[in-house]
Each structure stands twice: as structure tokens, then as C-alpha cells.
Amino acid sequence: MSSSIQVQHVRGPAGRLAIHVCGPSDGTPVLLTHSILAASMMWTQQMHLLAQRGYRAIAIDTRGH
């Protein structure tokens, strides 16, 4: 089973943030965040594994990434 990662954007007072979502819409959400000098796409493999197990993986790019 292969689940695609969808990119959404959220606009806030500090600008626009990218949010990457993978997995069933009714799955238990798992929020993945990255450290400084990294980006949310470091979680790509984990997002697919979580989605295959029925979770909704959500990875955000913090401001400036």
C-alpha cells in the first residue's frame, strides 16, 4: 500500500507554512517536526510507514524552512 504525501499551506501572522500530510483522514494524527537546519521532508519514510499502519502523519516546516 502506497500513500501519497499531500502538501497544504497555512497562512499565519508570521507568513506561510507548508504542512505535509499522509494517511487516512480518520487516522490518529501523529505530528512530526524537525530540528533547526532540517526540513519536514526528513520524515518521508516514517510518514509512509505510519500511513500504512492507519495513522495520519503530519509534518510541518517550521518558519523559515
Side-chain angles (χ1 to χ4, degrees):
M1 170 201 246
S2 178
S3 209
S4 65
I5 296 177
Q6 299 157 1
V7 181
Q8 302 170 6
H9 292 92
V10 175
R11 185 168 299 282
R16 202 167 81 146
L17 298 177
I19 299 173
H20 305 268
V21 181
C22 185
S25 60
D26 62 344
T28 301
V30 177
L31 181 63
L32 304 163
T33 187
H34 60 83
S35 63
I36 195 166
L37 301 178
S40 65
M41 292 316 294
M42 69 182 276
W43 298 112
T44 299
Q45 288 182 317
Q46 291 86 349
M47 291 179 75
H48 288 295
L49 290 172
L50 287 164
Q52 288 173 2
R53 287 165 177 79
Y55 293 95
R56 183 139 177 101
I58 304 164
I60 61 168
D61 275 327
T62 59
R63 193 170 76 182
H65 293 266

